[in-house]
Amino acid sequence: MKVQLQVNGSPVDAAASAADIAATGADGLFTFEGQHDVFFPLLIAAGATDLGLMTNVAVAPPRSPLHLAHAAYDLQLYSGGRFRLGLGSQVQAHIEKRYGSRWAKPAKLMAETVRAIKAIFAAWEGQDRLDFRGEFFTHTIMAPNFNPGPNPFGPPPVLLGALGPVMTRTAAEVADGLLVMPFNSARHFAERTVPAVAEGLRRAGRTPDGFQIIAQAMVAVGRDQADLAAAIDGVAALISFYGSTPAYLPVLEAEGWADIQPELNALSKQGRFAEMRRLIGDEVVARIGIVGTPEECARQIAERFGEHAAEVCCYFPGYTPRAADVADLIGALHRAPVLR
């Protein structure tokens, strides 16, 4: 199983962070749209390593498909064909109150965004005249002085992040792959994600061949008990944050923990984050996160996702694992059986 790790999002630290990731034996790196821009660090990392590069994710609703297409095309060109464009919808409160943008029908908007980007790529590749007309976007002008022409490495794949069945189905219908939400569990993935992918592929008349499923996991890894305790605390804190969001309720429902979501939500609105973390017990961390030694974590990831995914993005939230533990985790994942 291939492994992707998160690069430091600061442009000041991105090169050193990318080099550190390369030293672990990872196959690629990704950016998360948090405190920094999601594209700039990848440009720096592309020159510092020869690893695969991915946005995970670029929040699409506030951006034009043309902006996304240009950034993705240029990163694909500069990296020599190592880039994948991962897109996500975010939730309504963040789109309206953090990005200052408008919220629309999220699954339809994301589907149209992917189709519009692909139409722009096709025009640049000389495959078709640009004539995209949708509910949200219209792209009908592409004069030669705005057209970069064919990319020698081809257009980059466009991936879509999803959790719920409608967005997951949408990803399987229109995108080149699915970025599985890291707030997940073995039961939710098997019972809700996998069937939604199958339904989306069926509706689009597609086969699983060529459709990438990229697993994501919040990993608490360590050999030393003190290290593992700190790692579990970091994963639990992130689980409490995700769990406070109503859109992520289905994962808690699947595990029989729906009753903690309203309390998490209320505490988050009051800024009582320490109390939120105390609601997340060890069993919750074990089922939604991944916990143990490097070898135990690799086994859990392979058991949860290996039948459907050939690669995984590993997060280490709120703590810094020992480099040797990360390298051992990656080595164990590289040896893990993948059935896909």
Side-chain angles (χ1 to χ4, degrees):
M1 182 174 276
K2 292 184 177 180
V3 185
Q4 322 286 330
L5 300 182
Q6 184 176 347
V7 70
N8 190 314
S10 167
V12 175
D13 302 322
S17 177
D20 289 342
I21 289 173
T24 67
D27 302 281
L29 53 85
F30 62 89
T31 48
F32 169 78
E33 187 157 8
Q35 297 171 334
H36 300 278
D37 181 82
V38 75
F39 290 105
F40 289 161
L42 291 179
L43 184 66
I44 296 168
T49 75
D50 59 359
L51 298 179
L53 311 163
M54 178 168 62
T55 53
N56 186 19
V57 290
V59 178
R63 294 179 166 100
S64 156
L66 184 64
H67 289 135
L68 290 165
H70 271 302
Y73 217 62
D74 286 349
L75 271 166
Q76 177 78 333
L77 178 64
Y78 182 68
S79 69
R82 292 181 282 133
F83 178 69
R84 290 179 291 182
L85 176 64
L87 301 175
S89 63
Q90 249 297 345
V91 296
Q92 183 173 0
H94 282 260
I95 295 301
E96 293 180 340
K97 298 177 182 178
R98 182 156 67 96
Y99 288 93
S101 187
R102 295 181 179 179
W103 180 253
K105 309 164 189 173
K108 287 186 176 181
L109 176 66
M110 294 305 297
E112 189 169 308
T113 298
V114 173
R115 291 188 176 109
I117 291 169
K118 287 181 172 288
I120 293 166
F121 285 164
W124 290 346
E125 293 291 311
Q127 298 169 352
D128 203 356
R129 178 176 175 271
L130 183 60
D131 187 22
F132 184 87
R133 304 168 192 268
E135 180 179 350
F136 307 101
F137 306 108
T138 299
H139 300 278
T140 58
I141 295 176
M142 190 57 63
N145 53 322
F146 301 123
N147 187 336
N151 193 311
F153 305 101
V158 182
L159 315 174
L160 186 56
L163 175 68
V166 176
M167 191 68 78
T168 301
R169 188 177 68 227
T170 298
E173 288 185 69
V174 303
D176 298 307
L178 168 70
L179 290 162
V180 178
M181 177 71 188
F183 186 78
N184 223 307
S185 69
R187 180 178 287 113
H188 183 273
F189 179 73
E191 296 180 359
R192 303 193 182 188
T193 301
V194 172
V197 169
E199 175 61 16
L201 293 174
R202 186 195 65 77
R203 290 189 181 193
R206 306 172 70 184
T207 68
D209 297 337
F211 183 77
Q212 305 171 45
I213 297 180
I214 302 172
Q216 303 196 71
M218 295 178 281
V219 181
V221 64
R223 296 192 188 278
D224 178 271
Q225 286 303 310
D227 289 345
L228 192 56
I232 289 171
D233 192 57
V235 170
L238 185 56
I239 288 174
S240 73
F241 175 75
Y242 278 134
S244 70
T245 304
Y248 300 151
L249 175 61
V251 176
L252 297 173
E253 286 179 334
E255 296 296 336
W257 297 322
D259 58 317
I260 69 171
Q261 197 281 326
E263 189 171 358
L264 287 170
N265 183 260
L267 289 171
S268 72
K269 291 177 179 177
Q270 299 168 38
R272 295 160 65 183
F273 299 109
E275 293 177 53
M276 290 167 59
R277 187 270 174 259
R278 286 196 285 271
L279 292 177
I280 307 302
D282 289 348
E283 186 180 2
V284 179
V285 177
R287 283 204 219 168
I288 295 178
I290 300 290
V291 181
T293 66
E295 294 75 21
E296 289 168 342
C297 288
R299 175 181 51 78
Q300 292 168 37
I301 290 170
E303 288 176 351
R304 186 178 297 185
F305 300 114
E307 185 177 351
H308 302 281
E311 61 182 299
V312 60
C313 295
C314 291
Y315 295 81
F316 308 108
Y319 77 104
T320 302
R322 294 179 188 270
D325 290 344
V326 175
D328 287 346
L329 169 65
I330 292 169
L333 282 166
H334 282 168
R335 296 188 297 272
V338 175
L339 302 180
R340 167 122 190 209

